[in-house]
Amino acid sequence: MFIDVNVANCTGDVLEAAGRLYFKFIACNDLREPLETRSLVAIPRFVLKATSVTELKNMLSTQGGIAYTAVTPLSLQTARWSTHDSRVNVIIMNDENIEFFDVKQFRAMKTHNKPLEISLKSLLALDDVKRGQAYRRINLALRMNISLIVGSGAEHWWELYHPRAIISLLKTLYDVPEPVALASITTRPYQIISEKLQLTRGKVGRDE
């Protein structure tokens, strides 16, 4: 059961391609309600970028919990604070905020069971310096038993990756063990997706 938690647009071409690549669930930025096709289920994805805690609190107050909610912290304060808010499903690390991910950040994430999300598209675009920083932080997170979740970051259907390619890239470029790489696109994101689907069904039941 493969899952891509980071897709920009759920166009017909993207949905069709994702199904052909054996994805059963995807999370899309342009959705507001879940969408089901013959081959997969797509759910809404909110990405919240915030510099201040107040700004992040305001953003979180506008979403009802059904969407897969990812935070890209743009300050040390928001990085720390986002670890303990239950409305935040994952914390994104990319080239904008990589310096905030240190032992203290990962310790807080571990305490509050907050997964680390990375985008394959973002990783492949890093320069040599940032790639080295990402390598060290990803492996530090794994040593500290932080759950890793990986999405494609695809904006178009041709930017989707076959699950085996994702596992191979993570293993080859970042020394992510194969079982961990596999879990990052299966069991780890499914824990979040399944909760979101239960919330959706509960909401539908109350509305009927």
Side-chain angles (χ1 to χ4, degrees):
M1 188 188 318
F2 298 113
I3 301 169
D4 190 338
V5 297
N6 185 355
V7 178
N9 305 305
C10 263
T11 62
D13 288 344
V14 166
L15 292 170
E16 183 180 349
R20 288 201 309 267
L21 292 171
Y22 306 107
F23 287 99
K24 292 301 181 184
F25 299 96
I26 60 175
C28 300
N29 293 345
D30 65 338
L31 287 185
R32 289 297 172 264
E33 297 290 337
L35 173 66
E36 189 168 355
T37 72
R38 287 179 297 177
S39 56
L40 58 78
V41 175
I43 70 165
R45 168 186 166 90
F46 288 163
V47 180
L48 309 178
K49 291 186 176 185
T51 303
S52 72
V53 172
T54 299
E55 181 184 15
L56 182 54
K57 286 180 178 179
N58 290 337
M59 291 178 179
L60 286 167
S61 68
T62 65
Q63 67 95 7
I66 291 176
Y68 176 100
T69 303
V71 169
T72 303
L74 300 179
S75 71
L76 187 60
Q77 290 74 24
T78 53
R80 298 290 194 262
W81 187 87
S82 60
T83 62
H84 62 76
D85 191 290
S86 61
R87 293 168 294 183
V88 177
N89 299 128
V90 297
I91 302 176
I92 296 173
M93 182 179 73
N94 58 27
D95 62 335
E96 295 180 282
N97 62 10
I98 197 168
E99 66 272 17
F100 305 137
F101 289 84
D102 54 12
V103 171
K104 288 185 178 180
Q105 177 67 19
F106 289 135
R107 188 176 294 135
M109 291 170 67
K110 182 177 180 180
T111 298
H112 298 285
N113 196 28
K114 204 69 69 178
L116 174 70
E117 185 192 305
I118 55 177
S119 158
L120 199 58
K121 183 177 181 179
S122 175
L123 286 180
L124 294 175
L126 295 176
D127 61 29
D128 290 343
V129 173
K130 291 284 189 179
R131 190 175 298 118
Q133 293 174 344
Y135 178 93
R136 290 189 292 274
R137 283 162 173 81
I138 289 171
N139 282 276
L140 172 62
L142 297 182
R143 289 197 301 272
M144 295 181 68
N145 294 317
I146 304 299
S147 294
L148 179 67
I149 294 178
V150 178
S152 66
E155 295 182 29
H156 309 284
W157 67 266
W158 59 83
E159 293 176 321
L160 294 167
Y161 290 86
H162 190 283
R164 281 294 162 194
I166 297 173
I167 294 168
S168 178
L169 285 166
L170 291 172
K171 183 179 178 181
T172 303
L173 298 178
Y174 290 93
D175 285 338
V176 176
E178 187 167 330
V180 176
L182 176 61
S184 75
I185 56 173
T186 55
T187 55
R188 296 304 189 190
Y190 185 70
Q191 291 168 357
I192 300 171
I193 297 289
S194 62
E195 290 178 4
K196 297 302 178 182
L197 292 175
Q198 288 175 7
L199 285 173
T200 301
R201 293 177 183 124
K203 180 177 181 297
V204 170
R206 290 193 299 272
D207 292 343
E208 289 178 344

